[in-house]
Amino acid sequence: MSSLPPYDQQQLAAARTRLANERTLLTYVRTSLALVGFGLALLQLEPRRAHALGFGALGAAAVFMLIGWLRFRYHARQIERCRVPQ
């Protein structure tokens, strides 16, 4: 017979929820990095004509990252609040 302890459905669900929250944060990070790359490319290739668009993309990247981080923190706290003590 196996000596493994039985798994707890609630712990597994909480772990899946935490991992989903982390994946969402990583999606925000990926989008921010793409915007940074786009903004820097515009500034390097066409510094005069695409000046506003390049800096706009960099600003949007900062806003995306801030929103993602705040959302991650909010949901992480909500997840921890819903945990049932053992």
Side-chain angles (χ1 to χ4, degrees):
M1 297 294 301
S2 174
S3 64
L4 295 174
Y7 61 90
D8 184 9
Q9 291 286 359
Q10 191 158 5
Q11 282 182 333
L12 291 175
R16 282 191 302 268
T17 305
R18 281 192 299 275
L19 290 171
N21 193 32
E22 290 175 9
R23 282 192 306 271
T24 303
L25 175 64
L26 291 174
T27 301
Y28 277 99
V29 170
R30 183 185 64 210
T31 303
S32 295
L33 287 174
L35 283 170
V36 166
F38 177 66
L40 291 177
L42 283 176
L43 290 175
Q44 290 293 317
L45 296 176
E46 281 293 329
R48 292 183 188 168
R49 291 177 44 187
H51 185 75
L53 187 58
F55 281 114
L58 292 176
V63 169
F64 263 85
M65 194 61 236
L66 180 65
I67 290 171
W69 181 68
L70 291 173
R71 185 182 184 281
F72 172 78
R73 277 190 32 207
Y74 172 76
H75 287 292
R77 289 179 182 156
Q78 293 289 357
I79 293 166
E80 286 301 314
R81 191 178 302 152
C82 290
R83 291 184 70 185
V84 176
Q86 295 186 14

